Amino acid sequence: MAQATTTAVERPTGASTGPRGTGADAPTAPGSGHAFRTDINGLRAIAVLAVVVYHAGISVPGGFTGVDVFYVISGYLISSLLLREVDRAGSVDLVEFWTRRMRRLVPALALVVTVTMLASVLVLSPLVWGRLAWHGASAMLFVSNLLFPYQGQSYFSDSVTPSPYLHTWSLGIEEQFYILWPLLILLAVAVARRTRVPARRMLQALFAGTFVVSLATSVWLTATAPDWAFYVLPTRAWEFAGAALVATLPWGRLAERSRLRPRLLRTLLGTAGFVLLALSFALVRETDPFPGSIALLPVGGALLVLAAGSIPTSGTWVDRVLGLPVLQRIGDVSYSWYLWHWPFVVLTTAAVQNDAIWLKVLATLAALGAAVATYRWVENPIRFSGAMRSWRRTAAVTVAIGLTVGATVVGTRVATGAVLQNEPYATAVEVGGEPESYGCTDHTETTRGVDVCLLGDVSADTTVLLLGDSHAMQWIPAFDAAATKAGLRLAVHWRHGCPVAEVNVYQPAERGPCSSFQTESVEVVEDLRPDAVVVSQAHIYAGRMEHPDGTGMTVEEARTTWANANDKLFAHLTAITPTVVAVEDNPQLDIDPLECLTRPLDGVGDCTIPRADAEASNGDLPRISAETWTKYGVTTWDGVWAQTCDEQVCTIGDMDQPVYRDYHHLSAGYVLTQVPAVEQMLRTAVGSTTSGNIG
């Protein structure tokens, strides 16, 4: 979220000022084409309140859509500014426009990026310093919205400690809009001159076309690549374009031509806008495909409020609410508050390993204090100082700020390289960098041409087949050693991110669908006819299941699909193989275990998790799987719970023996401690046809 300073006359006491009109009409004060609009400042306050309340964990499920409201506000203000300049001069001064944007956005952002980096070094593990240095640099370059989806970091992920720079993705979209939008407007004006079409009409066509194409792109990409759809400008441009279209309309004349009195029309539009915004904040969920078509709720609400405020008449109840002094003050500091609130929340909760709502609320209030100070002593002095009006001086200050942040980032990376050579960090790096797969002693090929990895005693007559995803792979070192000791041939067939049960799950395009692996898994069992099959598959797929057309499943659809697919799988396996063993899946952590174990503030908080939270971490899938195992007499084996959990808490070990290498994979060191238990399980499996629990 960023804010534009777009009026010809600005006030030092207002964080962001906007045009009263579009250059053709005076929306609220006839004859006052560039007056300050309190309704826009109040709307900005509502948007930032929605975002910070959402990040504090208070029950406003759609609060994140406040960012979309900001996009609408920016689209309206920036387009109004550019339209006035086109009307007045027939062109746009790009250097002056971009200089003002830099003067508005960069100083406060540079301060937040630098302070956040320094605070992260004090609070967070050295394991993440290098990554955060890149995040800080990308934030300053306004490209973090491209870096995060490239790294696979979902905005809604709550599995690990998020980046304190995650919220800067919205600034990336905003700045990219600032760069491209005036260029498109200049192109449209040039085409209008060549074709002798009125410039305003050509611009309206541009805005309408952008709206339609971008919205269609948003709907398509949200269904096919949701992370990229959330983060990139092409799927958000329609929000800016819709506001630009509103800015081109002569609301005074439209109100006069309507059959409603202007004040009534203004009231109806404003009320409708408030209703849509309320529905957006209350009803939109993280699990909804977003932005897509559902973003029409917050965008439509904001557009209606802006349209209402553009009708020249006396104020309504909506104007009185938006003009409340408290909202005006919040609107003033909203940019700085947005910048500060997320680092305060992330670093505070990480420092004490506690994400209680009351703590996050206190963090957001502390961030408000930092925002007021930043607004007073950083934003306003640079924005309103006469010495800063020269673009050369602005560029010099921006370069100086960039060098400061660059030095901080480079220094952090250099320090990271030095620190990580020492213990316990070197061990943590080694554990976290364990391979995604392990080598095979030999290979065999089934009669249908499926290549199968062989381990253990490859010359043995008795074969155990290990099937699964990366949660099967994590056990390979222990299974290999145990099979060798037990004199068993171990066959392994696994694929990262693919359960054995036939469910469609989201996969990156380069990996391809899981269907071929799932079909091959059944063929391997049918062709090898092993003496025992061990199935180890993760229970983290509930939010990743898809319909055949690629659309996501609801929670209830995912439950039903998982139950049916596992019923089919284990019915087939138990009909072919004497013994089938299911490995009880380990918990999915809500912290990064290695980061927690190596954080600087040792003794503050702890790295254990309540057992109830661990049991609930994978939702209903473990229960559904257990019901299927019982139904088909499948033997179960527990390689984690009994060893790492008591009745109250589950531990992630320590740096002498970390249990996990990431938030849901076990470390090779830990699984090797379980070789005796695995050996006992394998011996029992090939020598027993009874069901129950092993180990």
Side-chain angles (χ1 to χ4, degrees):
M1 175 202 76
Q3 297 178 52
T5 307
T6 61
T7 56
V9 178
E10 300 171 324
R11 61 169 190 174
T13 56
S16 180
T17 54
R20 278 287 189 178
T22 65
D25 287 285
T28 57
S32 178
H34 310 305
F36 178 74
R37 278 184 57 170
T38 56
D39 62 321
I40 292 179
N41 207 35
L43 184 61
R44 182 179 288 110
I46 289 176
V48 77
L49 281 169
V51 173
V52 299
V53 166
Y54 166 75
H55 284 154
I58 299 174
S59 185
V60 182
F64 63 91
T65 63
V67 172
D68 301 87
V69 177
F70 277 108
Y71 288 160
V72 172
I73 294 172
S74 289
Y76 181 86
L77 295 177
I78 292 298
S79 299
S80 297
L81 170 68
L82 295 172
L83 287 169
R84 284 201 307 273
E85 191 166 353
V86 168
D87 289 342
R88 184 186 70 251
S91 184
V92 174
D93 186 339
L94 292 176
V95 173
E96 172 63 17
F97 176 80
W98 288 330
T99 298
R100 293 182 69 185
R101 305 286 75 73
M102 293 173 67
R103 194 163 60 231
R104 177 66 182 96
L105 300 180
V106 171
L109 176 63
L111 176 65
V112 172
V113 166
T114 303
V115 172
T116 298
M117 183 62 66
L118 296 175
S120 297
V121 169
L122 297 175
V123 172
L124 301 180
S125 165
L127 298 179
V128 304
W129 292 355
R131 184 175 79 239
L132 293 186
W134 283 114
H135 291 177
S138 68
M140 283 306 304
L141 294 173
F142 299 102
V143 293
S144 61
N145 65 309
L146 304 179
L147 178 64
F148 290 132
Y150 175 77
Q151 293 181 334
Q153 185 161 356
S154 170
Y155 178 77
F156 298 112
S157 174
D158 58 359
S159 298
V160 295
T161 301
S163 169
Y165 297 113
L166 183 62
H167 65 316
T168 63
W169 71 270
S170 62
L171 290 171
I173 287 182
E174 190 106 17
E175 185 63 22
Q176 290 154 25
F177 163 74
Y178 291 157
I179 293 172
L180 295 176
W181 203 238
L183 295 176
L184 286 176
I185 287 178
L186 283 178
L187 177 62
V189 170
V191 172
R193 287 172 180 165
R194 293 289 297 272
T195 58
R196 297 184 178 180
V197 174
R200 185 60 63 103
R201 187 173 301 172
M202 181 64 70
L203 289 171
Q204 288 174 335
L206 168 67
F207 300 155
T210 302
F211 182 92
V212 172
V213 172
S214 174
L215 178 57
T217 302
S218 180
V219 172
W220 169 72
L221 203 61
T222 298
T224 57
D227 282 349
W228 283 98
F230 187 89
Y231 282 118
V232 297
L233 177 61
T235 59
R236 303 281 188 161
W238 65 276
E239 303 179 17
F240 298 97
L245 194 58
V246 169
T248 66
L249 298 177
W251 289 99
R253 291 197 294 272
L254 291 175
E256 291 174 359
R257 294 174 183 175
S258 71
R259 296 184 179 182
L260 300 175
R261 288 176 294 140
R263 191 170 187 278
L264 177 59
L265 179 60
R266 180 166 174 149
T267 301
L268 292 176
L269 291 178
T271 302
F274 261 41
V275 169
L276 289 182
L277 290 175
L279 291 175
S280 173
F281 299 152
L283 300 181
V284 178
R285 297 290 191 273
E286 296 177 355
T287 54
D288 291 329
F290 199 88
S293 58
I294 199 170
L296 285 166
L297 271 177
V299 172
L303 290 176
L304 288 173
V305 172
L306 291 177
S310 300
I311 297 174
T313 183
S314 57
T316 66
W317 74 268
V318 173
D319 298 288
R320 289 192 290 274
V321 170
L322 293 176
L324 289 172
V326 63
L327 292 184
Q328 292 301 300
R329 299 290 75 78
I330 292 174
D332 288 346
V333 301
S334 57
Y335 175 53
S336 286
W337 197 14
Y338 181 84
L339 288 179
W340 282 115
H341 87 282
W342 184 242
F344 267 72
V345 169
V346 170
L347 297 177
T348 300
T349 57
V352 299
Q353 290 296 306
N354 186 335
D355 64 351
I357 291 178
W358 68 266
L359 185 63
K360 291 190 284 189
V361 169
L362 289 179
T364 57
L365 292 176
L368 179 58
V372 172
T374 302
Y375 169 70
R376 179 175 180 181
W377 288 308
V378 177
E379 287 190 58
N380 277 347
I382 294 178
R383 290 170 61 200
F384 299 111
S385 171
M388 294 303 299
R389 292 303 181 184
S390 166
W391 71 267
R392 292 181 180 86
R393 293 176 182 173
T394 301
V397 171
T398 302
V399 169
I401 292 171
L403 290 175
T404 301
V405 175
T408 302
V409 170
V410 172
T412 301
R413 292 192 62 80
V414 171
T416 299
V419 169
L420 294 185
Q421 296 178 18
N422 303 317
E423 295 294 348
Y425 311 118
T427 297
V429 171
E430 181 181 356
V431 172
E434 288 173 357
E436 288 291 323
S437 61
Y438 298 91
C440 303
T441 303
D442 200 354
H443 291 266
T444 188
E445 189 174 281
T446 68
T447 56
R448 280 176 274 194
V450 180
D451 183 76
V452 180
C453 174
L454 295 181
L455 293 165
D457 184 353
V458 297
S459 62
D461 295 328
T462 303
T463 300
V464 175
L465 173 63
L466 174 62
L467 282 179
D469 48 25
S470 61
H471 282 211
M473 180 276 295
Q474 69 188 1
W475 283 105
I476 288 177
F479 272 63
D480 182 20
T484 300
K485 289 184 175 182
L488 302 172
R489 184 173 74 156
L490 177 67
V492 180
H493 188 62
W494 73 278
R495 180 174 167 186
H496 184 85
C498 290
V500 184
E502 293 183 20
V503 296
N504 295 319
V505 296
Y506 170 75
Q507 287 282 293
E510 62 271 16
R511 290 184 185 169
C514 292
S515 54
S516 59
F517 164 76
Q518 292 161 347
T519 300
E520 289 176 353
S521 296
V522 174
E523 292 175 354
V524 167
V525 177
E526 293 174 343
D527 291 350
L528 288 185
R529 297 282 170 169
D531 297 278
V533 174
V534 180
V535 178
S536 178
Q537 54 186 1
H539 282 142
I540 63 175
Y541 295 110
R544 294 173 52 194
M545 291 190 205
E546 299 178 334
H547 294 288
D549 63 0
T551 58
M553 291 186 180
T554 65
V555 173
E556 189 56 43
E557 288 173 336
R559 291 179 185 137
T560 302
T561 300
W562 185 258
N564 293 338
N566 277 274
D567 188 271
K568 178 182 176 181
L569 171 66
F570 285 99
H572 194 66
L573 293 180
T574 53
I576 298 173
T577 308
T579 302
V580 177
V581 179
V583 178
E584 294 185 10
D585 194 30
N586 49 268
Q588 178 180 189
L589 308 178
D590 60 0
I591 58 173
D592 185 303
L594 298 177
E595 290 177 23
C596 186
L597 291 173
T598 56
R599 67 183 189 272
L601 299 178
D602 188 28
V604 180
D606 60 59
C607 294
T608 60
I609 54 176
R611 179 164 184 140
D613 291 350
E615 292 175 343
S617 63
N618 292 325
D620 288 334
L621 297 195
R623 174 187 58 78
I624 294 170
S625 294
E627 291 173 354
T628 304
W629 300 335
T630 300
K631 177 180 178 180
Y632 290 101
V634 173
T635 300
T636 60
W637 180 71
D638 167 22
V640 177
W641 292 88
Q643 290 74 23
T644 63
C645 301
D646 58 27
E647 293 182 358
Q648 283 77 40
V649 299
C650 294
T651 180
I652 63 174
D654 53 38
M655 282 315 302
D656 291 330
Q657 185 52 75
V659 176
Y660 293 86
R661 65 177 172 88
D662 61 28
Y663 74 97
H664 69 106
H665 288 111
L666 302 173
S667 71
Y670 170 77
V671 300
L672 286 173
T673 66
Q674 301 304 303
V675 169
V678 175
E679 181 184 355
Q680 178 187 350
M681 180 267 289
L682 294 179
R683 289 183 182 276
T684 304
V686 297
S688 172
T689 58
T690 60
S691 64
N693 295 326
I694 299 177

